Amino acid sequence: NNTVVTDEKGRFLLKDLQMNQAGTFLTVNKTGYLEGSDRFFPLDGSTNHTRIKLLTKINIGSFVSSEGGNVADADEHIGLSFPADAIVNAENMLYDGEVMVYARGLDPTVDDLHEIMPGGLQGIDSDGDLNAIASFGMMNVVLETPDGAPLNMGNGKKATLTFPIQDEQIAGSPDEIPLWSFRNEYGVWAEEGVATKTGNTYVGEVGHFSWWNCDVPYNFINLTASFVNESGEAIPFG
């Protein structure tokens, strides 16, 4: 529950705080951008460095809630399909009106993925176990009224999401892959459904919106290391 405002260069400093060694979660918010975040693992008495890049909030279309509809972004090759009467307001009441769709897809092969994706690549599977996860595609979706009030899926219905599979990942992509939603209250992903490979895409159904991720889980280890130069001097933030 600690907060700080960045300076004109986006820098911030939090000092002398008690943090969680098992994973401390940090979020960043700015008007016109999607929420950014990171989950890092501080050591006792340590200085920790994080870099977070915010993604612009982009409207890719709209639909009438009573009719449902399809929305897509040709640049990021993502698609969304909504059934009729599936949108609720913040009070979980059925919403009737125009639904604005803001969405961004993430290419998991980019070099700065760790700076633009939420949290890290850790997820709780359906058995309650913590896994490292390898992404084959991510998507963030925000639904709002034309006035900017929050909306979400509800009424027991699901939307269909289409994620592109990158060319360099096609050969290693499984026919079915777990779907994971990002849980802001914990700063980790949670397994929640399955997506099916259709051509060079993954297609899956979701019952609510946050970040969604197509990932293969695998075992991991905790590794702590220090990086030094040729003279044996520690490299800051190495």
Side-chain angles (χ1 to χ4, degrees):
N1 295 321
N2 294 283
T3 62
V4 65
V5 177
T6 63
D7 66 14
E8 69 277 4
K9 296 183 181 294
R11 298 171 300 194
F12 65 94
L13 180 65
L14 292 164
K15 296 181 66 175
D16 302 325
L17 296 180
Q18 183 176 5
M19 296 185 179
N20 188 347
Q21 286 185 321
T24 290
F25 187 53
L26 172 73
T27 62
V28 182
N29 288 278
K30 180 177 174 64
T31 301
Y33 294 82
L34 300 176
E35 181 176 83
S37 64
D38 190 22
R39 185 169 183 257
F40 58 97
F41 304 89
L43 300 177
D44 287 339
S46 65
T47 298
N48 300 272
H49 177 261
T50 182
R51 179 179 171 88
I52 299 171
K53 292 183 181 180
L54 299 184
L55 297 172
T56 53
K57 185 178 176 181
I58 298 176
N59 175 239
I60 66 168
S62 66
F63 65 96
V64 178
S65 60
S66 60
E67 301 174 0
N70 301 317
V71 180
D73 187 296
D75 293 331
E76 298 189 349
H77 307 289
I78 57 175
L80 305 94
S81 180
F82 300 89
D85 298 319
I87 307 301
V88 297
N89 60 21
E91 288 74 41
N92 205 35
M93 300 295 293
L94 189 65
Y95 170 75
D96 184 14
E98 186 179 12
V99 180
M100 311 302 293
V101 181
Y102 300 86
R104 293 294 302 264
L106 283 193
D107 174 357
T109 67
V110 296
D111 292 337
D112 60 350
L113 179 66
H114 63 289
E115 297 179 350
I116 57 178
M117 64 168 285
L121 286 172
Q122 304 95 34
I124 305 295
D125 64 22
S126 56
D127 294 323
D129 297 324
L130 181 65
N131 297 262
I133 53 178
S135 179
F136 282 77
M138 301 185 199
M139 189 188 308
N140 177 273
V141 180
V142 176
L143 304 181
E144 295 181 355
T145 68
D147 295 331
L151 299 171
N152 214 321
M153 295 294 299
N155 204 24
K157 298 190 177 183
K158 293 187 176 183
T160 301
L161 304 187
T162 301
F163 303 79
I165 305 174
Q166 303 303 311
D167 292 342
E168 54 266 55
Q169 290 187 307
I170 285 288
S173 57
D175 291 336
E176 287 191 342
I177 192 168
L179 267 176
W180 310 70
S181 65
F182 192 73
R183 302 296 180 84
N184 259 60
E185 63 269 38
Y186 306 115
V188 297
W189 300 88
E191 184 179 0
E192 195 175 350
V194 175
T196 302
K197 187 177 179 180
T198 304
N200 62 349
T201 67
Y202 277 121
V203 179
E205 292 187 333
V206 304
H208 64 90
F209 281 118
S210 61
W211 278 94
W212 284 92
N213 202 349
C214 301
D215 293 82
V216 174
Y218 59 94
N219 293 326
F220 68 96
I221 62 170
N222 290 317
L223 177 65
T224 300
S226 296
F227 293 87
V228 298
N229 60 22
E230 293 179 351
S231 301
E233 299 169 327
I235 301 172
F237 312 123

